[in-house]
């Protein structure tokens, strides 16, 4: 457990958890064989198989194998090398205010919402559902895109959205929306970071290079709800935050959604 847990990077920790969960199931299954207890054997097999299946699903979503994900073999760290005489560019993100985002929502006709773990932590799904209802009443098209590994476990965001009463027919998987992202006037990224990181597609030196992500940067405007400008769960900077069409709305997701919903309804 220590070897597997220590080898996985921050963004890979959900896979490590499910893999160790699977191992505990197989251990329980073996104990059932030794003790001649059919119940322990069956329950252990179910836990082990479900954990292994979940690990495989998450690895497939990140376009990585299990061995590479948990770091069973040491890999040399990748460092970016600047050309001789070159200076690393200093990046500045554009911050926004709630009233300015309310104005953008009023002007937009097609809105995409990408929820992440930050939404789950803040418990803002009910306020988000209320905002979606208000937007739909004004005749706006509202869709949600959920990444396969959004949150701490696959399906966590889907459960929270369903719990808050968000209609199933407006919630889409990543593959269903990426090709049409340029059709959206505004994308609200709420508490997501690594799952919308453009470096995963554009930067071969990035640790998550090759992982499929939601291409929010292809929309006309992007607003990112985030507590701070710090790095995400994988410990990587996100170039999307510094794009000309991106604005950062800093603060707790639920508090920001409360203010945004109230401002829009006013």
């Amino acid at each position: 457990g220590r070897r597997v847990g220590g080898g996985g990077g921050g963004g890979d920790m959900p896979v490590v958890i499910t893999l160790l969960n699977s191992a505990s199931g197989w251990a329980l299954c073996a104990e059932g064989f030794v003790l001649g207890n059919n119940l322990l054997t069956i329950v252990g097999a179910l836990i082990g198989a479900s954990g292994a299946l979940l690990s495989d699903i998450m690895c497939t979503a990140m376009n990585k194998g299990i061995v590479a994900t948990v770091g069973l073999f040491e890999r040399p760290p990748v460092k970016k090398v600047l050309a001789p005489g070159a200076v690393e560019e200093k990046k500045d993100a554009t911050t926004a205010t709630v009233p300015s985002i309310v104005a953008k929502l009023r002007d937009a006709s097609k809105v995409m919402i990408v929820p992440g773990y930050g939404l789950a932590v803040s418990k803002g799904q009910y306020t988000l559902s209320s905002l979606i209802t208000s937007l739909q009443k004004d005749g706006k098209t509202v869709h949600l895109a959920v990444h396969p590994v959004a949150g701490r476990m696959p399906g966590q965001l889907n459960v929270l959205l369903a719990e808050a009463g968000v209609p199933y027919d407006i919630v889409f998987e990543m593959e269903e929306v990426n090709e049409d992202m340029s059709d959206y006037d505004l994308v609200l990224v709420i508490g997501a970071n690594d799952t919308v990181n453009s470096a995963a597609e554009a930067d071969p030196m990035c640790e998550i290079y090759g992982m499929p992500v939601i291409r929010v940067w292809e929309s006309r405007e992007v607003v990112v709800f985030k507590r701070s400008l710090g790095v995400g769960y994988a410990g990587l900077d996100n170039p999307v935050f510094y794009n000309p069409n991106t604005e950062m709305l800093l603060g707790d997701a639920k508090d920001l959604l409360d203010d945004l919903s109230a401002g829009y309804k006013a």
Side-chain angles (χ1 to χ4, degrees):
R2 180 194 293 180
R3 180 67 187 90
V4 173
D12 301 326
M13 204 50 62
V15 178
V16 173
I17 294 171
T18 56
L19 201 58
L20 293 177
N21 184 59
S22 175
S24 71
W26 296 124
L28 185 64
C29 183
E31 184 180 356
F33 274 117
V34 172
L35 299 177
N37 189 318
N38 291 334
L39 180 61
L40 283 180
T41 302
I42 294 172
V43 172
L46 289 174
I47 295 173
S50 60
L53 181 61
L54 192 55
S55 300
D56 180 68
I57 291 173
M58 287 194 287
C59 286
T60 301
M62 294 188 293
N63 197 29
K64 296 171 69 176
I66 287 182
V67 172
T69 301
V70 300
L72 291 180
F73 297 108
E74 295 293 336
R75 293 169 292 174
V78 178
K79 295 183 179 180
K80 292 185 180 181
V81 180
L82 297 175
V87 178
E88 189 169 1
E89 182 183 358
K90 185 178 180 181
K91 301 174 182 177
D92 292 314
T94 302
T95 56
T97 61
V98 170
S100 68
I101 305 307
V102 169
K104 290 180 184 294
L105 283 173
R106 294 189 190 281
D107 293 338
S109 59
K110 196 170 185 180
V111 178
M112 170 66 73
I113 299 172
V114 181
Y117 183 64
L119 177 69
V121 170
S122 68
K123 298 180 174 61
Q125 63 268 27
Y126 294 99
T127 309
L128 176 61
S129 178
S130 176
L131 177 61
I132 291 171
T133 300
S134 298
L135 292 170
Q136 290 177 325
K137 284 181 179 179
D138 287 345
K140 301 181 186 298
T141 300
V142 183
H143 293 151
L144 289 91
V146 179
H147 192 279
V149 294
R152 283 294 178 265
M153 295 291 169
Q156 180 186 18
L157 270 300
N158 299 79
V159 171
L160 292 178
L161 294 173
E163 179 185 88
V166 176
Y168 289 105
D169 59 348
I170 67 170
V171 180
F172 296 94
E173 299 294 334
M174 171 184 63
E175 297 83 1
E176 298 176 292
V177 299
N178 265 348
E179 297 302 321
D180 302 321
M181 193 61 69
S182 59
D183 296 337
Y184 291 89
D185 302 312
L186 180 64
V187 173
L188 303 181
V189 179
I190 307 176
N193 191 337
D194 300 321
T195 55
V196 297
N197 194 328
S198 61
E201 292 190 354
D203 186 1
M205 298 297 178
C206 178
E207 292 181 14
I208 60 172
Y209 180 71
M211 182 182 94
V213 292
I214 300 175
R215 303 185 188 123
V216 297
W217 60 89
E218 293 183 355
S219 65
R220 289 168 192 163
E221 288 186 287
V222 182
V223 176
V224 181
F225 293 58
K226 205 170 183 296
R227 287 184 179 273
S228 69
L229 291 173
V231 296
Y233 192 47
L236 302 173
D237 200 11
N238 192 336
V240 173
F241 298 165
Y242 311 103
N243 285 349
N245 66 333
T246 300
E247 292 185 5
M248 307 293 297
L249 195 57
L250 304 179
D252 178 78
K254 184 180 185 303
D255 293 341
L256 293 174
L257 284 169
D258 285 337
D259 294 341
L260 195 63
S261 183
Y264 184 82
K265 294 175 181 177

